Amino acid sequence: MTPTFLRQFIIYTICNVTGEEPGNIVALDKVELNTRDWEQIFSRLEAILDVHTGLLTSTERSISIEALTHLLHARLTGDIIV
C-alpha cells in the first residue's frame, strides 16, 4: 500500500466516523477527536489493515494525518519507526 493510498484511507475513515467533510479534515494540522470517535477510527484502521498501532487505547486524542500515514506505512512494510 502506498503512503498516498493510506493517507486517503485515513481521511476517508475519519470522515466516515465523524461526519466531517474531507476538506475540513485535511486543513487541520492535527485532528482532535473525542474518545468514541478515536476508538472507532483506530479499531477500523487496525481491523481493515490487520495491524496493531498501539493507539487504540492511547489517552492522546489528537493526531497528525501525516504522522499516522507514516506509522501505518511503517507497520505494513515492516520498517522500523524512529
Side-chain angles (χ1 to χ4, degrees):
M1 247 180 244
T2 67
T4 301
F5 176 82
L6 282 171
R7 184 177 185 280
Q8 291 172 335
F9 183 66
I10 291 165
I11 294 165
Y12 169 81
T13 304
I14 292 170
C15 292
N16 189 268
V17 169
T18 64
E20 286 290 329
E21 292 294 320
N24 296 338
I25 296 298
V26 201
L28 301 171
D29 182 43
K30 280 197 157 192
V31 179
E32 301 279 338
L33 300 161
N34 63 40
T35 300
R36 181 195 157 279
D37 289 348
W38 182 271
E39 291 170 351
Q40 285 287 316
I41 289 164
F42 281 97
S43 50
R44 289 180 189 195
L45 290 172
E46 288 183 357
I48 290 170
L49 299 173
D50 194 27
V51 296
H52 177 68
T53 63
L55 294 171
L56 182 59
T57 57
S58 171
T59 57
E60 180 68 33
R61 295 293 181 253
S62 68
I63 194 159
S64 146
I65 291 173
E66 299 309 318
L68 183 54
T69 301
H70 175 72
L71 171 71
L72 290 174
H73 188 259
R75 297 279 185 195
L76 290 169
T77 59
D79 291 344
I80 297 173
I81 301 171
V82 178

